[in-house]
Amino acid sequence: MKHIFMSLLFAFIMATDCVVAETHADITADLILFNGKIVTVNRSFDIEQAIAIRAGRILAVGENDPIRALAGTATRVVDLKGKTVIPGLIDGHYHFMNKAISFTMAVDVALVDSIEEMVKRIKEKVYQVPPGNLVYTTSGWLPQQFKEKRVPTRYDLDPVSPDNPVIVMGGHSIYLNTYALQELGITRETASPQGGTILMDPETGEPTGRLIENASRLARKNWISGGRIWTMGSATHEQKLEAIKTSQKKLNAVGITSIREPGISAEDMRVYQELRDNGELTVRVSMNYSLDSSRPAEELIKQLETWGVSTGFGDSMLRLDGIGEFGIDGGFEAALMSEHYVNTPGNEDPEEYFGLQRIPTEKFEQVLQAMSRLGWRACIHIVGDRGLDIALDAYEKANQVKPIAPKRWVIEHAHYTRPDQFKRISDLGLVISTQFHPYMAAQNMTHFWGKDRSSKTMRMRDWLDAGLLVGGGSDWTLLPANPFWIIYFWVTRDTRLGGVIGPDQRISREEALRVMTINNAYITFEEDIKGSLEPGKLADLVVLSDDILTVPDDQIKGINPLLTLLGGKVVHHNREAITIN
Ligand SMILES: [Zn+2]
Ligand SMILES: [Zn+2]
């Protein structure tokens, strides 16, 4: 009881400014959840029975009786009937704006089981739009999930799209039909740009329609600039507002209360700000500003110098995170590796192929030093170990401009790292923001990197054992990206299509929960206000259908949030399962 009282007072001081005016007896909760299993994810991972909320913050956590004693006449109560409660989940790397627009406007092909089905869905969309308008798809699919076991080509797309440009989006490649290739003027004579490949058919010498890494910019540039044929691709401000408003409900429904946007434009930041100002955001957002890495260093540095604010600016709903992703390398098919590839995306000799460097070292280092000088932190997309070597060199140089540890610079992804790099990561006070790509796409990764490297991807066990701070997220083209799939992968290392990969890198459920809550809160400098259920913190929490700490492994993926609170407000509620009295 003493423990409860102390934390109660502490909470009250934290939550209000007028502690002198009221006495302890006056403190009543707005909402009490009792008779449950409250997984606090505090330092000692305490499990409690009940939680009280007042003014959007956690008033107290503890045993049923003392918490229920905080009820006043207006207090609402929830009998949890033994259900488990966890802190609101944080997706540490989710391109929400992009996915929200894409799932509102594009053809959803993320989980289709064949190219045939993909083409069928594209055909339906083509019927709905005028000739000349762009039709594009979501990404998130894998050739291994198709019964054809290959990627689409222009010849798959052409029969259903004679009068429209079509782009099938992939993670790091895009796939065009003939109409789109012609509109962009891409022929057998077109040279691949630096850091990218226009894939040619080895037999005919004609483009297959696939543009890899920087080559995809040839299309994206037209698409984003809202040119004649790309009007569908450039969503308006109003469409973006609507897409976020609708889509954030899907995030709340899977237990997500915060996300990090890995890289958006200033224009997209205005969309979030408008929603925040109107009180319409139901997910907390930490935004990274995206730089166009194809521009010269001097231009990018000037661009950063125009900002009067930087990392950390904002509040608990909306804040500035850093500069991202400013990727040094590509995805599975173009990660910079110190050892050569097993297979290549184009026609390169695997023994001569080590991935693609997307930003030249000198420019990369110059811009990162400017970020440090201007108070920004870098949140760099780094996939291969050679990419990490280059980035660590650059981070060390930026650290000489100004110490970067207080700004918690980020390594985004870190798919393939070597243990000899861990000390450098730790010495610079870096944090790792990793994901669950292997769950979705292990076979794709193994194809390019071979089994050994694949089984050592996302080395969660090794990182945590080395004392590194690791946060986690999805970075996948799904809406929503289910956080319980992510946790399932880290705990089991089982993958969607390819079986268990690197079982020695499994982590416990307790660790996985920390990664998706308090560790992600640390990455956004918010470990004191969210990420665990402790007095004084924001009342972001999720009531689960099953106990995530004890449910059999194979049922983790099926866990369903029944109630999600954001700052004490209900943002998702399954009324059949949970009653609020
Ligand atoms: Zn990335
Ligand atoms: Zn990303």
Side-chain angles (χ1 to χ4, degrees):
M1 182 60 199
K2 183 165 171 261
H3 163 77
I4 292 291
F5 178 65
M6 291 302 288
S7 38
L8 184 65
L9 268 187
F10 173 66
F12 187 57
I13 292 163
M14 295 278 292
T16 82
D17 291 318
C18 51
V19 67
V20 188
E22 294 184 57
T23 64
H24 173 222
D26 296 326
I27 306 168
T28 56
D30 299 332
L31 177 66
I32 287 174
L33 290 79
F34 67 99
N35 206 10
K37 177 175 177 180
I38 317 288
V39 181
T40 62
V41 194
N42 66 3
R43 198 172 285 270
S44 45
F45 209 78
D46 293 333
I47 309 288
E48 300 284 2
Q49 295 175 323
I51 183 166
I53 293 161
R54 178 188 164 94
R57 297 204 175 231
I58 296 165
L59 180 60
V61 189
E63 290 177 4
N64 284 327
D65 289 346
I67 297 296
R68 294 193 73 180
L70 296 168
T73 47
T75 304
R76 295 194 301 162
V77 292
V78 174
D79 180 352
L80 291 165
K81 297 181 178 150
K83 296 250 161 17
T84 299
V85 177
I86 58 170
L89 296 169
I90 303 171
D91 191 326
H93 187 120
Y94 186 53
H95 299 269
F96 182 40
M97 178 73 71
N98 187 301
K99 299 306 163 245
I101 296 166
S102 165
F103 274 80
T104 313
M105 304 180 73
V107 183
D108 178 9
V109 299
L111 298 173
V112 296
D113 61 7
S114 62
I115 292 175
E116 193 186 332
E117 174 64 21
M118 173 186 273
V119 170
K120 203 179 121 211
R121 292 191 185 187
I122 290 169
K123 183 180 175 183
E124 286 162 12
K125 189 78 174 187
V126 167
Y127 274 130
Q128 298 164 19
V129 303
N133 275 41
L134 174 70
V135 170
Y136 66 104
T137 72
T138 63
S139 57
W141 51 270
L142 273 191
Q144 291 83 6
Q145 82 193 40
F146 299 151
K147 66 173 195 260
E148 296 89 350
K149 306 287 175 205
R150 60 176 178 83
V151 297
T153 70
R154 59 198 281 197
Y155 306 110
D156 294 307
L157 306 172
D158 286 347
V160 300
S161 56
D163 304 317
N164 295 75
V166 171
I167 301 180
V168 174
M169 307 296 281
H172 290 260
S173 292
I174 62 173
Y175 305 81
L176 278 54
N177 69 346
T178 298
Y179 189 107
L181 286 170
Q182 283 170 354
E183 283 288 324
L184 294 172
I186 295 173
T187 67
R188 55 187 299 144
E189 314 296 337
T190 312
S192 292
Q194 195 247 328
T197 307
I198 298 171
L199 194 64
M200 304 294 178
D201 185 315
E203 276 165 28
T204 64
E206 289 292 325
T208 66
R210 181 176 186 175
L211 307 181
I212 302 167
E213 296 296 350
N214 285 357
S216 68
R217 286 192 187 140
L218 299 172
R220 287 183 206 264
K221 222 172 239 169
N222 276 38
W223 179 31
I224 288 166
S225 71
R228 185 172 63 83
I229 60 170
W230 311 107
T231 42
M232 270 190 62
S234 44
T236 64
H237 182 78
E238 273 61 41
Q239 286 169 321
K240 289 176 187 174
L241 286 172
E242 206 41 53
I244 296 287
K245 272 200 265 185
T246 321
S247 304
Q248 62 185 354
K249 295 191 190 114
K250 295 181 183 165
L251 301 190
N252 299 146
V254 292
I256 293 170
T257 51
S258 299
I259 56 147
R260 280 180 73 235
E261 269 283 7
I264 56 172
S265 64
E267 193 185 319
D268 287 351
M269 290 182 177
R270 283 185 205 115
V271 175
Y272 280 123
Q273 192 183 349
E274 189 171 328
L275 291 168
R276 178 207 161 279
D277 292 351
N278 294 339
E280 291 176 312
L281 267 188
T282 65
V283 64
R284 305 181 193 278
V285 182
S286 198
M287 306 178 290
N288 281 278
Y289 181 51
S290 177
L291 293 177
D292 178 356
S293 58
S294 68
R295 312 302 304 166
E298 301 70 42
E299 199 177 302
L300 297 178
I301 293 167
K302 261 200 196 113
Q303 198 180 333
L304 288 180
E305 283 170 344
T306 62
W307 283 70
V309 291
S310 64
T311 296
F313 181 78
D315 59 23
S316 64
M317 276 317 295
L318 188 61
R319 49 193 292 129
L320 283 178
D321 193 288
I323 306 293
E325 297 187 31
F326 207 60
I328 188 68
D329 59 358
F332 298 153
E333 58 270 74
L336 277 175
M337 290 290 193
S338 54
E339 308 266 337
H340 70 77
Y341 274 56
V342 174
N343 285 294
T344 62
N347 307 320
E348 306 88 348
D349 173 2
E351 301 210 351
E352 300 292 324
Y353 183 75
F354 297 84
L356 298 173
Q357 182 163 350
R358 291 166 69 193
I359 306 172
T361 305
E362 194 188 346
K363 172 171 154 185
F364 184 69
E365 292 186 343
Q366 270 177 2
V367 178
L368 263 62
Q369 286 168 40
M371 289 182 201
S372 183
R373 173 168 62 85
L374 296 165
W376 284 99
R377 70 162 166 196
C379 301
I380 305 297
H381 162 117
I382 305 162
V383 173
D385 65 322
R386 171 83 191 117
L388 183 54
D389 285 334
I390 296 169
L392 287 171
D393 289 346
Y395 282 24
E396 278 163 5
K397 287 179 186 165
N399 190 49
Q400 282 159 17
V401 175
K402 213 192 232 183
I404 62 172
K407 290 281 180 186
R408 304 176 185 177
W409 282 33
V410 184
I411 299 169
E412 305 285 350
H413 310 312
H415 284 87
Y416 186 65
T417 55
R418 305 184 313 265
D420 66 273
Q421 296 171 317
F422 297 172
K423 189 173 180 304
R424 292 179 79 190
I425 295 173
S426 151
D427 286 350
L428 287 165
L430 305 181
V431 293
I432 296 175
S433 174
T434 196
Q435 297 86 31
F436 81 138
H437 301 97
Y439 175 72
M440 298 299 291
Q443 286 173 311
N444 202 16
M445 193 173 65
T446 309
H447 172 76
F448 292 117
W449 301 351
K451 230 180 154 111
D452 281 359
R453 268 179 296 196
S454 295
S455 63
K456 290 280 184 222
T457 52
M458 270 74 193
R459 346 173 53 124
M460 289 293 244
R461 181 76 273 141
D462 295 345
W463 291 335
L464 294 179
D465 288 349
L468 300 179
L469 193 292
V470 184
S474 59
D475 192 32
W476 202 260
T477 297
L478 292 172
L479 184 91
N482 192 326
F484 298 99
W485 291 14
I486 304 176
I487 290 171
Y488 172 77
F489 168 68
W490 292 333
V491 167
T492 65
R493 294 288 290 197
D494 185 28
T495 65
R496 181 170 65 119
L497 302 164
V500 172
I501 186 170
D504 58 318
Q505 295 302 321
R506 284 176 184 146
I507 59 173
S508 71
R509 298 179 191 206
E510 178 180 327
E511 287 169 321
L513 265 181
R514 286 187 192 279
V515 168
M516 285 302 279
T517 55
I518 190 70
N519 291 11
N520 277 337
Y522 180 88
I523 292 186
T524 57
F525 308 89
E526 294 174 296
E527 70 274 20
D528 291 334
I529 60 164
K530 69 183 188 188
S532 62
L533 301 177
E534 297 178 83
K537 285 195 166 185
L538 295 163
D540 297 355
L541 60 81
V542 193
V543 181
L544 304 178
S545 59
D546 302 275
D547 182 356
I548 190 161
L549 297 179
T550 59
V551 78
D553 277 349
D554 60 352
Q555 288 172 32
I556 295 176
K557 277 183 292 180
I559 292 176
N560 245 319
L562 305 175
L563 180 73
T564 306
L565 302 185
L566 181 93
K569 267 175 53 186
V570 175
V571 291
H572 165 70
H573 185 191
N574 177 337
R575 285 184 174 76
E576 272 155 40
I578 294 280
T579 310
I580 305 177
N581 290 309

